[in-house]
Structure formats: C-alpha cells, structure tokens
Amino acid sequence: MIKYICMVDIKLKGGRVDMKYNFDEIVDRRNTDSIKWGNLKQTFGEEDLLPMWVADMDFKAPTEVIEAFKERVQHGVFGYTWIQDSFYDAIINWVKRRFNWDIKKEWILFIPGVIPGLSIGVRELTNEGEKVLIQPPVYPPFYEVINNNNRVINKNPLKHNGKKFVMDYEDLEKKIDEETKLMILCNPHNPVGRAWTKEELEILGHICVKNDLTIVCDEIHSDFILKGYKHTPLATISKELEQRTITLMAPSKTFNIPGLATAFAIIPNPDLRNKYQKAIKALRIDNITIFGALGLETAYNKGEEWLEELLKYIEYNVDFAIDYIHKNIPEVEVDRPEGTYLLWLNFKKLNKTSDEIYKALIEVGKVALNDGRQYGEEGDGFFRLNVGCPKATLEEGLKRIEKAIKSL
C-alpha cells in the first residue's frame, strides 16, 4: 500500500498551475468492496498487487457531488425517484457545451449502464444468428453482449500505420454481408486511445449508410480528450448517421462515479427509440436511482471545473508515463493516446509470450494490468495500463513494471 503523497508540479505554457482539487491525495480503497482493489486474489491469483487495471480512477469524485450526497444522506429517506426535467436539462446542456451537439429531451432514455445499453441494442436491432461488427482489440464486453445474445461476432480489426491505430476501411467493406445488420463503435476507442477524427468518422459513416447498418456507439470516454484533439459524436456527422445511430454516454467515467449505475442513450430516430424504449420497459429498468440522479445532475451542472483540472492532471500522467517508459523500458512501445486515461502497452519486442509477461508482472513486479488478450486475439502481446491515479501511485506502478520486464 502506498502511504505517501507527491504533490505534482504541473507545467504548462505560462508556468505552474495551481489546482483547486487535490488529485495527488492517495485514498485507501482496500476493504471498500472495490473490484479494482478488493478483487485481486480472484482475478489475478495474488493479493499483494498494485492495481492499475480496470478503468476506474483512484480520485475522489468532485467535492460538489460529495457535498450533495452528504446533504441527501442527512435527509435520511431514500425512496423511489421520478425522472425530472432537470435531469434531462443537465444532459442537454452538457452535451451542447462539450460537443456542440443540440439534442432534444425526447431523444434521451435512461439506462443502468453502457454495457446493458449495448446489450439492449444488440437484442433489439438484430436477430439470433445475425452478425455484429466490432473493431478489435476492443473493450471485452463488446464480445460478451454479442455472444450472450446468440449473435455472431464479425471482426474488422484496427491496423497500426507505424504511428497510431487506424480503421481498415477496405477490410470493413469486405466483412459486411447480408447477415451483418449492426456495428458497435468505440469512440474514443478503448483500449488504443484513439479519438476518431471527423474525417475518419465520415468515411466510416458513408460505408455504414451505403450498407444500411445501424450503429450503437459507446462514447463513455468522450469527456476524456487530451489537448490538441476533440471528440466528435458519430451522430453529428450527417443527418443520415443521426437517424441510424444510438449514442451511449454516462457521467460515470468522467466523474469517477461508476458505482451509481447511471447512463443514458441518445436516439434521434423515433423508430429506433421506440424499439429501444420498449425493451427498457419490458425489463423494468426505465428508472433512475436517487443517488444516480443526484450524481448525474450535480456533476454535469457543477463538475466542469473539476473535470478541466482533472484533464490537466491526466495529461501530465500520460506524459510522465510515456517519458518513463521511453527512458527506462525502451523495449515497451506505446502510442500517446488522444483520449481516455488508458495506455496500450506493446510488449512484442521482448519476444516473450503473453503468459511469460503476465507471470513476471504478477509475481515479480506485483502489479496488475489488463491482459491484452481480453480484448481479442489482436491484443496478444499488449497490456493496458490505467493512469487515472495519483502521480505517486503511477510512478510506483511504472517502477514495478520495469522490475518485471528486467527480470525476463
């Protein structure tokens, strides 16, 4: 357990930036029912590991959210909640401010999480035995929601052009056949960290429209965009794409409140929306919890200053990690991400198997990363590192990775 705090001197143009929020604070998350910190033995076979895996940051939620929760707890009654206009307004205003996208109240449907939202999309927009396109290496639940609903995975792997991962449009067109009805897009992409450009999405969108594909777009990391890049919601590319896209978003990753199980789908097309809403109502998941509602509204209305400071801190962590890797573990390759707080580490130059690397990380380095093979066979030789943590934790984790690699 790390017990020290290292105050980060973040340097930007203009000098040091004083922060209102303390992202250097180390919060002890053990014995808090945390999957990331408390489920290590079951997941990795060891307990004494530094967890830098699941996309769950180690920062406290915004002070404004915590204070709102405290006030509600003091009230002492936690009954059923009805969805108020203010919840919709918070989302509409946030999406307009962050992405310049004008959405309407009737387009918004509340869901308990993006993964359930993906599953509903697969169930309602395809039939058993039909194919769903994904772009591996990609977030493991993409595979699960397809397999668990008895659909067929149709893979359009990303390719690396020597600088970054890009979409393989030629392969995509070849993969689309009469049985392919749906595509699940990850934007920004988890785990490779691409924030797809407008131009890339235009090409993708043209292919989808030409082949009459519907798209369910996971945009849960859309608020985590690094300097020099921007997030473009797929549905904003064209009217045609707007009418065939279901966009899934949530405050959960952005404000580190995933345990509140609150997300939403934005569906402009009334026919798609009616199908989706019918499934939500059939499952009786068309409501929102009292703290989920409070967290969403407070975060979107009062958490923007916290997020802007967090993004500067994440940017610093990304630069620090990449610089450390280049200097101390040059055998490991890594692209600078454009979005998310995740680094996709390439260990292939070691000429070791993923099993050998995994064993060294766990047994020698005592550090837990996500094994790239969870993201598909295309992830073999890669591991995912979460830098959404205090700088002291990140530095300790990098030292452990270095120790593991040097033991091979």
Side-chain angles (χ1 to χ4, degrees):
M1 180 67 196
I2 300 173
K3 295 186 180 294
Y4 59 92
I5 294 177
C6 176
M7 297 301 292
V8 174
D9 185 9
I10 297 181
K11 299 287 186 179
L12 298 174
K13 290 180 181 177
R16 177 180 167 83
V17 174
D18 292 324
M19 287 195 167
K20 175 180 177 182
Y21 302 94
N22 181 16
F23 298 108
D24 285 327
E25 180 184 0
I26 301 228
V27 181
D28 187 353
R29 299 187 61 192
R30 297 183 188 274
N31 302 312
T32 61
D33 302 318
S34 163
I35 288 177
K36 182 178 182 181
W37 285 84
N39 199 37
L40 295 169
K41 180 72 173 178
Q42 296 90 323
T43 306
F44 297 95
E46 300 274 354
E47 265 186 35
D48 58 335
L49 305 176
L50 181 61
M52 306 192 74
W53 58 302
V54 64
D56 171 348
M57 297 187 293
D58 289 323
F59 306 121
K60 287 183 178 179
T63 306
E64 295 79 3
V65 173
I66 295 171
E67 291 303 317
F69 287 166
K70 286 180 180 178
E71 184 177 343
R72 183 55 59 88
V73 167
Q74 287 301 313
H75 180 261
V77 180
F78 313 111
Y80 297 117
T81 303
W82 61 282
I83 299 175
Q84 302 183 59
D85 285 345
S86 60
F87 305 162
Y88 292 102
D89 291 342
I91 294 170
I92 291 168
N93 294 334
W94 181 263
V95 170
K96 175 63 176 178
R97 288 199 309 275
R98 304 301 293 189
F99 315 121
N100 196 31
W101 185 16
D102 292 303
I103 63 174
K104 299 178 181 179
K105 173 185 173 182
E106 60 264 28
W107 295 0
I108 302 169
L109 299 177
F110 287 95
I111 49 179
V114 165
I115 297 173
L118 293 171
S119 186
I120 292 168
V122 170
R123 287 177 63 89
E124 295 306 308
L125 304 177
T126 63
N127 297 313
E128 288 195 12
E130 290 183 336
K131 297 178 182 178
V132 180
L133 271 164
I134 59 174
Q135 295 177 312
V138 75
Y139 187 45
F142 282 26
Y143 297 91
E144 296 166 10
V145 298
I146 298 171
N147 287 328
N148 292 345
N149 286 300
N150 298 316
R151 274 60 170 179
V152 178
I153 293 171
N154 190 357
K155 297 199 295 184
N156 166 229
L158 301 178
K159 60 182 181 180
H160 199 276
N161 66 7
K163 295 182 179 180
K164 59 186 177 182
F165 283 92
V166 295
M167 298 188 197
D168 188 340
Y169 302 112
E170 183 178 352
D171 177 73
L172 176 61
E173 295 221 56
K174 290 178 181 177
K175 293 290 176 62
I176 300 173
D177 55 24
E178 291 183 356
E179 296 177 340
T180 304
K181 307 296 182 182
L182 180 70
M183 179 176 190
I184 304 179
L185 178 68
C186 201
N187 178 34
H189 193 280
N190 173 11
V192 309
R194 283 299 317 281
W196 303 118
T197 65
K198 181 180 179 182
E199 292 71 25
E200 287 172 309
L201 294 174
E202 285 175 339
I203 298 171
L204 175 71
H206 175 74
I207 294 171
C208 290
V209 171
K210 183 175 71 173
N211 291 278
D212 195 27
L213 291 185
T214 305
I215 309 102
V216 176
C217 198
D218 173 1
E219 301 194 10
I220 197 170
H221 285 104
S222 56
D223 294 314
F224 284 99
I225 303 297
L226 301 187
K227 188 184 297 183
Y229 302 96
K230 65 175 291 186
H231 174 70
T232 302
L234 179 68
T236 65
I237 295 293
S238 68
K239 198 67 177 177
E240 292 89 348
L241 278 173
E242 178 192 87
Q243 292 302 303
R244 62 178 63 245
T245 300
I246 293 174
T247 303
L248 304 179
M249 291 182 171
S252 55
K253 301 291 185 186
T254 307
F255 300 102
N256 207 29
I257 49 175
L260 301 182
T262 302
F264 53 92
I266 303 172
I267 313 176
N269 184 311
D271 292 332
L272 288 180
R273 188 167 64 247
N274 288 340
K275 285 183 181 179
Y276 205 90
Q277 189 170 35
K278 184 178 179 181
I280 292 173
K281 288 186 175 181
L283 295 168
R284 294 301 306 270
I285 55 172
D286 56 334
N287 213 319
I288 190 169
T289 69
I290 189 168
F291 285 100
L294 183 60
L296 179 148
E297 186 174 2
T298 306
Y300 281 157
N301 288 340
K302 299 180 179 180
E304 201 155 15
E305 182 182 6
W306 180 92
L307 175 60
E308 289 301 324
E309 288 196 0
L310 172 65
L311 289 172
K312 293 173 186 175
Y313 197 93
I314 293 294
E315 189 108 26
Y316 175 90
N317 274 2
V318 166
D319 289 339
F320 177 84
I322 292 176
D323 184 62
Y324 186 99
I325 290 167
H326 286 166
K327 288 179 179 177
N328 301 286
I329 330 170
E331 308 92 331
V332 177
E333 297 181 332
V334 57
D335 297 335
R336 191 177 192 277
E338 301 165 355
T340 79
Y341 47 87
L342 308 165
L343 296 186
W344 189 233
L345 307 181
N346 184 350
F347 290 77
K348 291 184 177 181
K349 279 192 174 181
L350 295 172
N351 291 318
K352 300 291 183 180
T353 67
S354 288
D355 284 336
E356 290 172 317
I357 298 167
Y358 179 87
K359 183 177 181 181
L361 290 169
I362 299 300
E363 296 183 3
V364 180
K366 297 294 183 181
V367 59
L369 308 183
N370 285 104
D371 188 331
R373 292 172 292 184
Q374 297 173 331
Y375 303 80
E377 61 185 357
E378 296 80 7
D380 190 14
F382 291 83
F383 286 80
R384 194 188 73 171
L385 170 67
N386 177 354
V387 302
C389 59
K391 190 257 184 180
T393 304
L394 176 59
E395 187 170 9
E396 175 66 19
L398 291 167
K399 288 177 180 177
R400 294 182 182 213
I401 295 170
E402 179 185 1
K403 181 181 179 181
I405 297 311
K406 289 184 174 177
S407 73
L408 291 169

